[in-house]
Amino acid sequence: MKTLLTGGAGYIGSHTAVAMIEAGHDVVIVDNYYNSSPEAVRRVEQITGREIPLYEADAADKEVMREILKKEMPDCIIHFAGLKAVGESVAKPVEYYRNNIDTTLTLLELMKELRLTNFVFSSSATVYGDDNIPPFTETMPKGACTNPYGWTKWMQEQILRDAQTASAADEGTPELSVVLLRYFNPVGAHESGLIGEDPQGIPNNLMPYISQVAVGRRDHLTVFGDDYDTPDGTCRRDYIHVMDLAEGHVKAAEYAAGNKGTEVFNLGTGEPYSVLEMVEAFGKACGHPVKYEIGPRRAGDVQDSWANADKAKEILGWEAKRGLDEICRDAWNWQSKNPNGFNA
Ligand code: NAD
Ligand code: WQD
């Protein structure tokens, strides 16, 4: 199967490219390097020993994307391309709505035109909002999102569902297969240490922040609040190894190729860890304690978020295999070998 990965030079896309190739599929990547670099794709080629067709393009650019899709005619599109920084989305909502929603609309228009049918989408646990109580199941109603980034995912899910429904009703159009993947908290890196998460500037997310403290790039972590109603007072999340997540995409793309309709799957482990548990585990992996201070709560944080991951296991035959030790080991391996990310 040939899969086209928009945003394939990014963190999750590059790991998915490895998993796809290892599962025997072909990969084509489209990225505008807004938040990544072609070096990540070169590293994927190094890991897999395969040459990957790579296009520098904006996935919202219809003319350019038409030519790429006409040339490649992929069996499945996995749409990772998007802006993802929660805080930035509050400051720049229009840019977030424009980029995230436009890319999806462009791809849907071109799929109809070129009669392509299979689509896998990077959604997020953020669509459960703060009204639902974990573990989150796919049948729960989507909640009210706390930021524009979350709303872009919420809206893209709806757009994709509506397009699928219309395609099923229209006899002149081949029926779409849409798989919505709700990721929990992707962390870790490929075990080679050649690819990993490389945030620009000050990391927003916990794991890259911890890694940068551990490697000496930052002085200490600020833990955002220790007065939550949890065993140690810090928030709990479902941290999933990025290679487990990547393997979930292989199963999702294979599912999309063999089924019609819209399906939504949580990709998480089902097991929550607190911020302090992550700090402790990382300290063990890197061989020294990670310095931290307790600070105030961060606006918009939910106390608890974790998945019920049963549906992906039952229908896709997928479950996360890697635990917290492997997550920290691989994150540290990547960070210590590439202290300044891909620019080292
Ligand atoms: P990332 O920023 O590393 O990767 C996204 C990639 O898309 C980047 O390489 C970027 O350059 C590219 N891109 C952005 N806009 C583009 C455009 N218009 N055209 C072409 N390329 C474009 O982020 P990631 O962590 O790999 O996330 C991938 C997807 O998963 C995103 O849609 C993100 O919202 C979603 N997601 C991420 C997380 C997370 O915590 N990392 C959680 C849930 C969902
Ligand atoms: C995890 C925990 C923080 C940084 C975000 C998005 C979500 C999804 C994944 C894309 C929280 C605490 C963090 C720090 C800290 N992204 N923390 N100090 O907030 O669960 O999810 O990324 O879809 O939409 O909202 O992840 O890694 O930012 O935070 O104490 O310096 O770590 O308060 O409890 P989050 P995170």
Side-chain angles (χ1 to χ4, degrees):
M1 179 166 59
K2 185 195 274 191
T3 50
L4 184 139
L5 278 44
T6 71
Y11 174 44
I12 302 168
S14 57
H15 289 80
T16 299
V18 172
M20 278 288 168
I21 291 168
E22 281 173 356
H25 300 299
D26 293 326
V27 163
V28 176
I29 288 178
V30 175
D31 205 299
N32 64 359
Y33 309 127
Y34 177 87
N35 193 36
S36 57
S37 81
E39 176 60 19
V41 181
R42 280 195 283 277
R43 303 270 184 104
V44 173
E45 292 181 327
Q46 196 180 331
I47 293 168
T48 59
R50 288 272 291 275
E51 205 171 308
I52 298 173
L54 176 60
Y55 297 91
E56 179 172 357
D58 183 336
D61 184 331
K62 199 166 173 186
E63 306 313 316
V64 172
M65 286 307 296
R66 178 184 288 113
E67 292 316 308
I68 294 171
L69 288 172
K70 260 166 92 175
K71 178 159 181 250
E72 299 291 348
M73 290 302 276
D75 302 296
C76 182
I77 295 175
I78 309 185
H79 182 34
F80 297 101
L83 306 182
K84 64 159 185 178
V86 169
E88 187 183 62
S89 81
V90 176
K92 299 179 177 174
V94 177
E95 284 89 332
Y96 270 66
Y97 286 113
R98 169 68 79 191
N99 187 69
N100 291 3
I101 292 174
D102 253 11
T103 51
T104 294
L105 293 175
T106 295
L107 293 170
L108 281 170
E109 286 173 351
L110 291 172
M111 285 175 73
K112 185 169 182 182
E113 189 180 312
L114 301 172
R115 304 180 77 80
L116 300 171
T117 53
N118 305 325
F119 196 88
V120 175
F121 177 61
S122 296
S123 190
S124 169
T126 194
V127 301
Y128 289 109
D130 53 9
D131 314 328
N132 290 304
I133 295 172
F136 299 136
T137 51
E138 293 87 346
T139 49
M140 286 175 168
K142 290 190 288 179
C145 295
T146 52
N147 55 77
Y149 165 76
W151 283 115
T152 70
K153 292 295 174 192
W154 198 105
M155 290 175 192
Q156 285 173 96
E157 282 201 3
Q158 191 61 42
I159 290 166
L160 287 161
R161 266 184 198 283
D162 292 343
Q164 198 293 321
T165 303
S167 75
D170 177 359
E171 282 176 14
T173 310
E175 185 174 351
L176 291 175
S177 174
V178 169
V179 178
L180 308 174
L181 298 178
R182 292 179 181 162
Y183 312 156
F184 281 70
N185 289 59
V187 287
H190 187 262
E191 63 175 13
S192 62
L194 284 168
I195 53 172
E197 190 169 12
D198 182 19
Q200 312 298 305
I202 301 168
N204 300 302
N205 297 114
L206 179 65
M207 273 300 263
Y209 207 107
I210 291 179
S211 306
Q212 292 192 9
V213 173
V215 84
R217 262 173 84 176
R218 312 210 174 262
D219 179 64
H220 67 277
L221 171 78
T222 300
V223 173
F224 297 142
D226 70 347
D227 57 350
Y228 287 95
D229 185 16
T230 62
D232 65 17
T234 65
C235 294
R236 293 178 293 189
R237 296 287 183 273
D238 185 333
Y239 296 95
I240 174 169
H241 195 295
V242 66
M243 285 310 298
D244 279 328
L245 190 68
E247 288 160 10
H249 288 74
V250 175
K251 297 289 187 189
E254 289 168 352
Y255 178 86
N259 295 274
K260 297 293 173 206
T262 301
E263 275 304 341
V264 47
F265 296 102
N266 288 337
L267 293 184
T269 67
E271 195 168 346
Y273 289 102
S274 74
V275 177
L276 290 179
E277 284 172 324
M278 297 303 288
V279 171
E280 169 89 21
F282 204 94
K284 278 193 200 137
C286 73
H288 59 271
V290 175
K291 196 169 150 196
Y292 70 89
E293 287 175 5
I294 305 294
R297 291 183 179 196
R298 179 171 68 178
D301 270 343
V302 296
Q303 173 175 296
D304 285 322
S305 166
W306 67 89
N308 174 321
D310 292 349
K311 186 177 173 191
K313 187 175 177 185
E314 277 160 29
I315 297 181
L316 300 180
W318 170 91
E319 64 183 322
K321 294 190 216 106
R322 298 159 179 89
L324 189 54
D325 290 345
E326 284 138 304
I327 283 173
C328 293
R329 178 199 68 195
D330 295 339
W332 176 239
N333 187 36
W334 153 252
Q335 188 69 66
S336 52
K337 284 182 177 159
N338 307 270
N340 296 307
F342 289 111
N343 296 325

Short mmCIF file of all heavy atoms in Angstrom, two decimals, residues 36-63:
data_model
loop_
_atom_site.label_atom_id
_atom_site.label_comp_id
_atom_site.label_asym_id
_atom_site.label_seq_id
_atom_site.Cartn_x
_atom_site.Cartn_y
_atom_site.Cartn_z
N SER A 36 9.65 21.68 11.22
CA SER A 36 10.48 20.47 11.06
C SER A 36 11.56 20.75 10.04
O SER A 36 11.66 21.87 9.54
CB SER A 36 9.60 19.30 10.57
OG SER A 36 8.96 19.66 9.36
N SER A 37 12.34 19.73 9.73
CA SER A 37 13.37 19.93 8.71
C SER A 37 13.52 18.64 7.91
O SER A 37 13.21 17.55 8.40
CB SER A 37 14.71 20.30 9.37
OG SER A 37 15.35 19.14 9.82
N PRO A 38 14.03 18.77 6.67
CA PRO A 38 14.19 17.56 5.85
C PRO A 38 15.19 16.58 6.46
O PRO A 38 15.20 15.41 6.09
CB PRO A 38 14.69 18.10 4.50
CG PRO A 38 15.02 19.53 4.70
CD PRO A 38 14.38 20.01 5.95
N GLU A 39 15.99 17.06 7.41
CA GLU A 39 16.95 16.16 8.06
C GLU A 39 16.23 14.98 8.72
O GLU A 39 16.75 13.85 8.73
CB GLU A 39 17.76 16.95 9.11
CG GLU A 39 18.74 16.13 9.94
CD GLU A 39 19.82 15.41 9.13
OE1 GLU A 39 20.06 15.79 7.97
OE2 GLU A 39 20.41 14.44 9.66
N ALA A 40 15.03 15.22 9.24
CA ALA A 40 14.28 14.13 9.88
C ALA A 40 13.99 13.02 8.86
O ALA A 40 14.08 11.83 9.18
CB ALA A 40 12.98 14.66 10.48
N VAL A 41 13.68 13.42 7.64
CA VAL A 41 13.37 12.42 6.61
C VAL A 41 14.64 11.68 6.19
O VAL A 41 14.62 10.47 5.97
CB VAL A 41 12.66 13.08 5.40
CG1 VAL A 41 12.33 12.03 4.34
CG2 VAL A 41 11.39 13.80 5.86
N ARG A 42 15.75 12.43 6.14
CA ARG A 42 17.03 11.75 5.83
C ARG A 42 17.33 10.69 6.89
O ARG A 42 17.81 9.60 6.61
CB ARG A 42 18.18 12.76 5.75
CG ARG A 42 18.21 13.49 4.42
CD ARG A 42 19.53 14.21 4.20
NE ARG A 42 19.62 15.45 4.96
CZ ARG A 42 19.10 16.62 4.56
NH1 ARG A 42 18.47 16.70 3.40
NH2 ARG A 42 19.22 17.68 5.30
N ARG A 43 17.02 11.01 8.14
CA ARG A 43 17.26 10.04 9.22
C ARG A 43 16.32 8.83 9.08
O ARG A 43 16.72 7.70 9.37
CB ARG A 43 17.04 10.70 10.58
CG ARG A 43 17.91 11.94 10.84
CD ARG A 43 19.21 11.59 11.48
NE ARG A 43 19.98 12.78 11.82
CZ ARG A 43 20.12 13.28 13.05
NH1 ARG A 43 19.51 12.70 14.08
NH2 ARG A 43 20.86 14.34 13.28
N VAL A 44 15.10 9.06 8.66
CA VAL A 44 14.17 7.94 8.44
C VAL A 44 14.74 7.04 7.34
O VAL A 44 14.71 5.81 7.44
CB VAL A 44 12.75 8.43 8.05
CG1 VAL A 44 11.85 7.28 7.65
CG2 VAL A 44 12.13 9.21 9.21
N GLU A 45 15.31 7.66 6.32
CA GLU A 45 15.92 6.88 5.23
C GLU A 45 17.10 6.07 5.76
O GLU A 45 17.30 4.91 5.38
CB GLU A 45 16.36 7.81 4.10
CG GLU A 45 15.18 8.44 3.39
CD GLU A 45 15.56 9.37 2.24
OE1 GLU A 45 16.64 10.03 2.32
OE2 GLU A 45 14.81 9.46 1.27
N GLN A 46 17.84 6.68 6.68
CA GLN A 46 18.98 5.97 7.29
C GLN A 46 18.50 4.76 8.09
O GLN A 46 19.08 3.68 8.01
CB GLN A 46 19.70 6.96 8.21
CG GLN A 46 21.09 6.55 8.62
CD GLN A 46 21.72 7.61 9.53
OE1 GLN A 46 21.40 8.81 9.44
NE2 GLN A 46 22.60 7.19 10.41
N ILE A 47 17.43 4.93 8.85
CA ILE A 47 16.91 3.83 9.68
C ILE A 47 16.37 2.70 8.81
O ILE A 47 16.62 1.53 9.07
CB ILE A 47 15.78 4.34 10.62
CG1 ILE A 47 16.35 5.30 11.67
CG2 ILE A 47 15.08 3.17 11.32
CD1 ILE A 47 15.27 6.07 12.45
N THR A 48 15.65 3.08 7.76
CA THR A 48 14.93 2.06 6.98
C THR A 48 15.71 1.56 5.78
O THR A 48 15.34 0.54 5.19
CB THR A 48 13.59 2.64 6.46
OG1 THR A 48 13.88 3.79 5.65
CG2 THR A 48 12.67 3.04 7.60
N GLY A 49 16.75 2.31 5.37
CA GLY A 49 17.49 1.92 4.16
C GLY A 49 16.67 2.14 2.90
O GLY A 49 16.95 1.52 1.86
N ARG A 50 15.67 2.99 2.97
CA ARG A 50 14.80 3.22 1.80
C ARG A 50 14.81 4.69 1.42
O ARG A 50 14.91 5.57 2.28
CB ARG A 50 13.36 2.83 2.14
CG ARG A 50 13.15 1.33 2.24
CD ARG A 50 12.83 0.73 0.88
NE ARG A 50 11.51 1.16 0.46
CZ ARG A 50 10.38 0.56 0.82
NH1 ARG A 50 10.41 -0.51 1.60
NH2 ARG A 50 9.22 1.00 0.39
N GLU A 51 14.71 4.96 0.12
CA GLU A 51 14.61 6.35 -0.33
C GLU A 51 13.14 6.76 -0.32
O GLU A 51 12.28 6.01 -0.81
CB GLU A 51 15.17 6.43 -1.75
CG GLU A 51 15.67 7.80 -2.10
CD GLU A 51 16.42 7.78 -3.43
OE1 GLU A 51 17.33 6.92 -3.57
OE2 GLU A 51 16.06 8.58 -4.30
N ILE A 52 12.86 7.93 0.25
CA ILE A 52 11.46 8.35 0.40
C ILE A 52 11.18 9.55 -0.50
O ILE A 52 11.86 10.58 -0.38
CB ILE A 52 11.18 8.72 1.87
CG1 ILE A 52 11.39 7.49 2.76
CG2 ILE A 52 9.77 9.28 2.03
CD1 ILE A 52 11.31 7.79 4.24
N PRO A 53 10.22 9.43 -1.41
CA PRO A 53 9.84 10.61 -2.19
C PRO A 53 9.37 11.73 -1.25
O PRO A 53 8.52 11.49 -0.38
CB PRO A 53 8.68 10.11 -3.07
CG PRO A 53 8.82 8.62 -3.07
CD PRO A 53 9.44 8.25 -1.76
N LEU A 54 9.97 12.91 -1.41
CA LEU A 54 9.75 14.00 -0.44
C LEU A 54 9.41 15.28 -1.20
O LEU A 54 10.16 15.68 -2.10
CB LEU A 54 11.04 14.18 0.37
CG LEU A 54 11.11 15.29 1.38
CD1 LEU A 54 10.04 15.14 2.45
CD2 LEU A 54 12.49 15.31 2.05
N TYR A 55 8.28 15.90 -0.86
CA TYR A 55 7.84 17.13 -1.51
C TYR A 55 7.77 18.24 -0.49
O TYR A 55 7.11 18.10 0.54
CB TYR A 55 6.45 16.96 -2.11
CG TYR A 55 6.37 15.92 -3.20
CD1 TYR A 55 6.05 14.60 -2.90
CD2 TYR A 55 6.60 16.27 -4.54
CE1 TYR A 55 5.97 13.64 -3.90
CE2 TYR A 55 6.52 15.31 -5.54
CZ TYR A 55 6.21 14.00 -5.22
OH TYR A 55 6.12 13.05 -6.21
N GLU A 56 8.45 19.35 -0.78
CA GLU A 56 8.28 20.54 0.06
C GLU A 56 7.08 21.30 -0.46
O GLU A 56 7.11 21.88 -1.56
CB GLU A 56 9.54 21.43 0.01
CG GLU A 56 9.35 22.68 0.86
CD GLU A 56 10.64 23.49 1.00
OE1 GLU A 56 11.69 23.06 0.49
OE2 GLU A 56 10.57 24.55 1.64
N ALA A 57 5.98 21.27 0.28
CA ALA A 57 4.74 21.90 -0.20
C ALA A 57 3.82 22.17 0.97
O ALA A 57 3.88 21.50 2.00
CB ALA A 57 4.04 20.98 -1.19
N ASP A 58 2.95 23.16 0.76
CA ASP A 58 1.90 23.46 1.74
C ASP A 58 0.70 22.57 1.41
O ASP A 58 0.18 22.63 0.28
CB ASP A 58 1.54 24.95 1.60
CG ASP A 58 0.51 25.38 2.63
OD1 ASP A 58 -0.26 24.53 3.13
OD2 ASP A 58 0.46 26.59 2.92
N ALA A 59 0.29 21.78 2.36
CA ALA A 59 -0.81 20.83 2.11
C ALA A 59 -2.14 21.53 1.84
O ALA A 59 -3.10 20.90 1.40
CB ALA A 59 -0.95 19.87 3.29
N ALA A 60 -2.20 22.85 2.08
CA ALA A 60 -3.42 23.60 1.77
C ALA A 60 -3.40 24.16 0.35
O ALA A 60 -4.40 24.69 -0.12
CB ALA A 60 -3.60 24.75 2.77
N ASP A 61 -2.26 24.04 -0.33
CA ASP A 61 -2.11 24.62 -1.67
C ASP A 61 -2.69 23.65 -2.70
O ASP A 61 -2.06 22.65 -3.06
CB ASP A 61 -0.62 24.90 -1.93
CG ASP A 61 -0.38 25.59 -3.25
OD1 ASP A 61 -1.18 25.39 -4.20
OD2 ASP A 61 0.61 26.32 -3.35
N LYS A 62 -3.87 23.99 -3.20
CA LYS A 62 -4.61 23.03 -4.02
C LYS A 62 -3.90 22.70 -5.34
O LYS A 62 -3.87 21.54 -5.75
CB LYS A 62 -6.01 23.58 -4.31
CG LYS A 62 -6.97 22.52 -4.74
CD LYS A 62 -8.38 23.05 -4.68
CE LYS A 62 -9.34 22.05 -5.27
NZ LYS A 62 -10.69 22.60 -5.35
N GLU A 63 -3.33 23.71 -5.98
CA GLU A 63 -2.69 23.45 -7.28
C GLU A 63 -1.51 22.52 -7.12
O GLU A 63 -1.36 21.54 -7.85
CB GLU A 63 -2.23 24.78 -7.94
CG GLU A 63 -3.31 25.84 -8.09
CD GLU A 63 -4.61 25.28 -8.64
OE1 GLU A 63 -4.56 24.50 -9.61
OE2 GLU A 63 -5.70 25.58 -8.09
#
